[in-house]
Amino acid sequence: MAHPYHHAVSSARRWGGVPADYQHVHDWFDATKAHLPDFRHRALRHHAEGIFLAEDVFGVTLTNSDGRVVPVRWVGEQHVREDLGRIPTAADWLRELTPRSWMGAVAERLSETLDVRATP
């Protein structure tokens, strides 16, 4: 799918109501395009953990304009499957990262950055 609106149209066909009933959920899944406007944005929310996070953000269910109660998880699963063909885990995405030296660098010790002689 190219746009969250098309996902919302698909949701309305599947569970009734109108696309606007689902638009906010699909917009949330694709909001990460603002940071990385290619397919890699999906690594941030297009996985099983992202689907469960959507429940935390939007609630367990939504009620569409036809009065039907639809689990938000179903909407998230639909979005991810339409984009990827399956629901990966966050680990599936993370395994594909190429490790870089800065990713595992030892952080400066806080005591080395503070003047420990200073007293409040």
Side-chain angles (χ1 to χ4, degrees):
M1 295 262 162
H3 193 277
Y5 172 74
H6 297 112
H7 288 289
V9 169
S10 180
S11 294
R13 280 193 205 121
R14 186 174 294 203
W15 296 296
V18 297
D21 297 333
Y22 307 94
Q23 188 70 51
H24 61 291
V25 177
H26 295 298
D27 285 343
W28 180 83
F29 272 96
D30 284 347
T32 54
K33 285 181 185 176
H35 306 290
L36 191 61
D38 64 30
F39 71 91
R40 294 174 295 171
H41 85 91
R42 294 175 177 157
L44 299 174
R45 294 184 180 166
H46 285 60
H47 45 66
E49 183 182 17
I51 292 166
F52 277 78
L53 181 58
E55 281 187 325
D56 290 341
V57 171
F58 301 107
V60 174
T61 63
L62 60 81
T63 303
N64 68 26
S65 57
D66 288 342
R68 182 168 182 196
V69 177
V70 179
V72 167
R73 192 180 312 165
W74 290 2
V75 179
E77 289 171 352
Q78 169 225 332
H79 185 111
V80 173
R81 281 193 181 112
E82 286 176 348
D83 278 352
L84 302 177
R86 70 186 190 97
I87 298 171
T89 65
D92 292 332
W93 284 101
L94 294 171
R95 267 193 295 278
E96 298 304 319
L97 281 176
T98 302
R100 302 288 184 215
S101 60
W102 63 265
M103 294 174 178
V106 177
E108 273 187 73
R109 292 179 182 240
L110 185 58
S111 62
E112 293 172 359
T113 61
L114 298 175
D115 184 357
V116 292
R117 294 169 292 169
T119 55

